[in-house]
Amino acid sequence: MEVKIMKNIMHANEKLAGENRDYFQKKGIKAVNIMASPGSGKTSTILKLIEAFGDRASVAVVEGDIASSIDAEKIDSLGKPVIQINTGGGCHLDANMIKVAVDSLNLSDGAILFIENVGNLVCPSSFDLGEGIKMVIASVPEGHDKPYKYTSMFELADIIVLNKTDLMPYIDFDRESFYKGVRALNEKSEIIEVSCKTGEGVDKLAQWLLQLSV
Ligand SMILES: Nc1nc2c(ncn2[C@@H]2O[C@H](COP(=O)(O)OP(=O)(O)OP(=O)(O)O)[C@@H](O)[C@H]2O)c(=O)[nH]1
Ligand SMILES: [Mg+2]
């Protein structure tokens, strides 16, 4: 019985994710599902990218959190359209939430839509939102062993951002081990190192996103 209910939920999500994907493709929208642990720098990365894009991209943001509008307020302060979703305890966004948010965002053709998923390195990887790009952010203080432990997240990523590289001198982070762990799961993903504090690597990440075709 339990299995049947789970299947129904997943089926409904897949159907809505497909509708979202069709919509994004038709309008040439780059929808980026950003998945990472709490505090790894998802919002900081979005803020830095908005700055780096300047007028080269039209950006809108969906913010997913269990509670609060803290992150949406940060995006709003840059004058970008933003919708905050509070899951009220749920550990991930789903395709229906994105559909409802997108309905009220009035996205322009060719826009970049950042979807900041709930901070969690497990649940979000199981729920397709209809996004075109899966971005996983790992950060130096979390440690180099994360790809070995949270495999599904790293397996599915189109791009992996290693953030907080400014903290490298203070943390025992084995870069070689991190890359080896990622490559054992995912040979194709782009890996870009950034520091949202110093801005290092942000232009490279912005360029990578701008040149993508959907
Ligand atoms: N030193 C350093 N701190 C950073 C960097 N990027 C983000 N931070 C800090 O890390 C903390 C968390 O950053 P956020 O961008 O809010 O992280 P998040 O992943 O959006 O967090 P949640 O939305 O709560 O899951 C903040 O205090 C940031 O200032 C970085 O590159 N270097
Ligand atoms: Mg955030």
Side-chain angles (χ1 to χ4, degrees):
M1 191 62 175
E2 215 170 294
V3 170
K4 198 175 166 194
I5 291 168
M6 189 62 192
K7 267 188 184 165
N8 286 344
I9 291 169
M10 295 311 274
H11 179 71
N13 189 71
E14 274 161 31
K15 188 170 172 288
L16 287 167
E19 289 172 19
N20 290 345
R21 185 164 286 113
D22 289 347
Y23 172 81
F24 294 141
Q25 278 174 356
K26 212 183 304 161
K27 286 181 69 78
I29 291 166
K30 293 175 190 173
V32 188
N33 182 4
I34 305 181
M35 297 173 282
S37 316
S40 58
K42 297 178 291 301
T43 311
S44 303
T45 302
I46 296 169
L47 293 169
K48 281 285 176 193
L49 284 171
I50 289 173
E51 226 174 82
F53 289 151
D55 55 12
R56 291 183 292 170
S58 160
V59 177
V61 181
V62 176
E63 282 293 342
D65 282 292
I66 287 173
S68 94
S69 58
I70 293 171
D71 286 356
E73 284 161 27
K74 290 179 184 168
I75 305 295
D76 182 61
S77 73
L78 294 187
K80 298 297 173 189
V82 58
I83 301 278
Q84 176 79 55
I85 298 172
N86 283 154
T87 61
C91 58
H92 62 87
L93 295 176
D94 65 35
N96 186 47
M97 294 170 184
I98 299 308
K99 194 173 175 51
V100 172
V102 162
D103 278 348
S104 60
L105 269 173
N106 239 330
L107 297 168
S108 49
D109 290 358
I112 296 181
L113 175 67
F114 289 122
I115 303 167
E116 179 175 339
N117 219 312
V118 178
N120 187 301
L121 218 41
V122 184
C123 311
S125 68
S126 305
F127 285 80
D128 186 8
L129 306 180
E131 73 275 13
I133 303 139
K134 291 184 197 298
M135 177 187 287
V136 172
I137 300 180
S139 67
V140 168
E142 291 168 60
H144 52 260
D145 57 0
K146 292 302 158 289
Y148 298 90
K149 295 179 176 179
Y150 300 91
T151 51
S152 59
M153 200 57 99
F154 290 90
E155 233 164 31
L156 296 168
D158 298 302
I159 174 150
I160 294 166
V161 176
L162 178 59
N163 186 32
K164 308 197 186 183
T165 50
D166 58 288
L167 297 178
M168 215 57 106
Y170 314 104
I171 309 268
D172 291 331
F173 186 92
D174 184 339
R175 198 186 245 117
E176 200 182 314
S177 172
F178 178 81
Y179 276 77
K180 202 172 155 197
V182 169
R183 287 297 175 228
L185 300 164
N186 186 334
E187 285 177 14
K188 289 195 187 128
S189 164
E190 185 73 24
I191 306 175
I192 296 182
E193 297 189 13
V194 306
S195 165
C196 289
K197 190 176 172 73
T198 67
E200 206 177 344
V202 173
D203 282 340
K204 187 178 177 191
L205 179 58
Q207 205 47 47
W208 186 86
L209 282 164
L210 287 172
Q211 58 77 38
L212 269 186
S213 52
V214 286

